[in-house]
């Protein structure tokens, strides 16, 4: 892995961002609209349930901020590959000595910048408009955010592997896979309200533990290390499996000479 090639891909992505209005809308428009919508819901809850509304409002705003971080990270990694497919430059990249690991590391680096901007925008609006300060949770949010990012990048590799294997007809998976998981990972409600068999599915997904831990942190101020380590173990397993899957799909496409057909 060469640092100069990673730097080159970072610049490559930044040039895309510089001239892509839709990407900037993703960074600002959707987070702002999302905070407004869920903020109004929290205001409504505070109005009809003064005793519990503050906690419920904080829980919902915290959940939607965490969810947007996860969704943004997953989509950004997939889109990093898709934008080169759309612009017909994927072949140009891979006739160079560039490796997949270098491309992924560079894409994650740029994605982290975007996530920091998204988090700052959403947290700032939540504080100014709805008096919710997510950083009041302290350093405990850092390990939970790390777990969100690990699983998001694993899903990004998985969805990109499918796109490589089946072509751009499958690109919808890059934008929809997170929504498929949303009902199962207890984003806005406790895990215990799900039916028994659905709970078993939820417990196999790392970010379920993140949202459960976030709610416990808001309710008690205590960081649940058990939830964190459960998420970490599952994340390591998923990252290894998704990395292997991505590598095999990419190798299959190269051996079959199908990389050019992605364009």
């Amino acid at each position: 892995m060469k640092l100069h090639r990673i730097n080159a891909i970072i610049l490559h992505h930044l040039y895309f961002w510089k001239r892509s209005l839709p990407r900037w809308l993703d960074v600002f428009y959707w987070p702002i609209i999302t905070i407004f919508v869920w903020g109004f819901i929290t205001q409504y809850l505070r109005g009809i349930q003064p005793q519990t509304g503050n906690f419920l409002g904080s829980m919902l705003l915290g959940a939607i901020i965490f969810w947007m971080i996860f969704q943004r990270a997953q989509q950004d990694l997939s889109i990093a590959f898709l934008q080169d497919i759309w612009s017909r430059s994927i072949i140009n990249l891979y006739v160079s000595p560039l490796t997949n690991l270098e491309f992924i590391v560079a894409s994650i680096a740029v994605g982290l910048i975007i996530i920091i901007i998204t988090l700052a925008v959403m947290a700032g609006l939540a504080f100014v408009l709805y008096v919710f300060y997510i950083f009041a949770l302290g350093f405990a949010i850092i390990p939970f955010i790390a777990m969100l990012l690990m699983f998001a990048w694993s899903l990004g590799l998985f969805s990109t592997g499918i796109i490589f294997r089946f072509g751009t007809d499958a690109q919808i998976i890059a934008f929809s896979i997170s929504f498929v998981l949303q009902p199962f990972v207890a984003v806005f409600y406790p895990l215990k309200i799900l039916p028994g068999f659905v709970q078993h599915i939820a417990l196999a997904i790392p970010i379920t533990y993140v949202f459960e831990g976030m709610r416990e942190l808001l309710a008690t101020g205590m960081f649940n290390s058990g939830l964190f380590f459960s998420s970490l173990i599952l994340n390591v397993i998923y990252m290894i499996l998704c990395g292997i899957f991505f590598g095999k799909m990419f190798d299959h496409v190269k051996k079959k000479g199908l990389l050019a057909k992605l364009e």
Side-chain angles (χ1 to χ4, degrees):
M1 190 164 65
K2 299 294 184 181
L3 185 59
H4 67 275
R5 290 202 287 264
I6 293 174
N7 289 335
I9 295 301
I10 290 174
L11 286 174
H12 171 71
H13 287 318
L14 291 178
Y15 285 134
F16 266 115
W17 277 94
K18 184 179 178 181
R19 55 189 176 86
S20 177
L21 180 61
R23 299 307 307 277
W24 285 109
L25 287 175
D26 278 345
V27 176
F28 292 104
Y29 177 78
W30 289 117
I32 290 172
I33 292 298
T34 300
I35 282 292
F36 273 122
V37 170
W38 286 95
F40 291 145
I41 293 173
T42 64
Q43 293 292 80
Y44 173 69
L45 290 174
R46 288 169 180 170
I48 64 172
Q49 292 286 345
Q51 295 180 340
T52 60
N54 283 334
F55 171 71
L56 291 174
S58 296
M59 184 190 72
L60 288 174
L61 285 173
I64 198 61
I65 290 172
F66 272 32
W67 176 255
M68 287 296 291
I69 290 171
F70 164 72
Q71 187 184 58
R72 182 81 276 134
Q74 178 266 311
Q75 290 184 1
D76 281 346
L77 184 56
S78 298
I79 292 173
F81 285 93
L82 279 171
Q83 67 187 6
D84 283 300
I85 295 172
W86 295 331
S87 64
R88 302 180 181 273
S89 59
I90 193 78
I91 293 295
N92 298 333
L93 288 178
Y94 282 103
V95 295
S96 71
L98 179 71
T99 65
N100 275 326
L101 183 58
E102 290 164 346
F103 190 94
I104 291 168
V105 169
S107 301
I108 287 175
V110 175
L112 282 173
I113 297 172
I114 305 306
I115 289 164
I116 290 169
I117 295 172
T118 300
L119 177 59
V121 169
M122 296 189 76
L125 285 174
F127 177 67
V128 171
L129 299 177
Y130 308 111
V131 200
F132 172 70
Y133 187 52
I134 193 169
F135 299 112
L137 297 175
F139 290 105
I141 69 168
I142 296 176
F144 282 139
I145 289 176
M147 294 303 97
L148 289 174
L149 295 179
M150 282 184 68
F151 189 58
W153 293 329
S154 298
L155 274 187
L157 289 176
F158 175 75
S159 57
T160 305
I162 291 178
I163 292 167
F164 275 133
R165 178 62 181 83
F166 297 103
T168 51
D169 287 343
Q171 65 187 349
I172 187 62
I173 194 172
F175 303 96
S176 62
I177 191 169
S178 58
F179 291 104
V180 173
L181 294 179
Q182 192 180 57
F184 302 100
V185 297
V187 180
F188 304 112
Y189 38 77
L191 176 65
K192 63 184 179 182
I193 74 163
L194 295 174
F197 73 97
V198 179
Q199 288 187 32
H200 292 301
I201 298 172
L203 290 173
I205 304 173
I207 59 174
T208 301
Y209 301 92
V210 173
F211 291 106
E212 285 287 286
M214 183 270 296
R215 279 187 288 271
E216 185 170 335
L217 191 59
L218 282 169
T220 67
M222 300 296 292
F223 175 75
N224 190 321
S225 59
L227 292 174
F228 168 73
F229 284 111
S230 297
S231 181
L232 178 61
I233 291 168
L234 285 173
N235 263 323
V236 170
I237 294 170
Y238 279 115
M239 186 160 278
I240 292 170
L241 292 177
C242 290
I244 292 171
F245 175 78
F246 172 82
K248 287 187 176 297
M249 292 300 99
F250 185 81
D251 288 343
H252 172 80
V253 168
K254 283 184 67 176
K255 288 177 183 177
K256 295 290 186 179
L258 300 175
L259 195 60
K261 292 185 178 180
L262 290 173
E263 302 180 348

